[in-house]
Amino acid sequence: MMLALSALIGVAIPYAVDTLAARISSARVIGTLFAIDPAMGTLIGWLLLDQALSPVALAGIELVALAGACVAWLEGPDATASNPPASGYPVGARTGAS
């Protein structure tokens, strides 16, 4: 029972939230959040649990942060501002006659 609860809290719920965030946000925001994730986990582990990390683990965190920064950089400026909807109407505009 404890293993199932741990899997739900530690894997299933964060995966569902990450998937939802990816659908409603841009790659730039998701890349930034994913880059912050391991750094925040490390900080919490160090402050609250007095954990220490090996140089290899720290290098891995740096690589994840670098990958997130690359995603944000390659995405460029806010894509939603420069790409109007395919219909030509602003998002949420009424298109039918009333």
Side-chain angles (χ1 to χ4, degrees):
M1 176 65 180
M2 188 62 84
L3 183 62
L5 183 62
S6 176
L8 181 67
I9 292 172
V11 177
I13 293 173
Y15 178 78
V17 171
D18 287 345
T19 302
L20 179 63
R23 288 184 183 182
I24 62 174
S25 188
S26 69
R28 174 175 266 188
V29 171
I30 297 301
T32 303
L33 291 176
F34 283 174
I36 293 170
D37 195 22
M40 289 303 297
T42 301
L43 184 62
I44 290 170
W46 178 65
L47 289 174
L48 298 180
L49 303 174
D50 198 30
Q51 294 178 338
L53 290 176
S54 68
V56 173
L58 291 173
I61 292 169
E62 290 176 9
L63 288 174
V64 170
L66 179 64
C70 287
V71 167
W73 179 70
L74 292 173
E75 178 69 13
D78 187 16
T80 58
S82 62
N83 294 333
S87 67
Y89 295 101
V91 175
R94 297 182 74 174
T95 59
S98 46

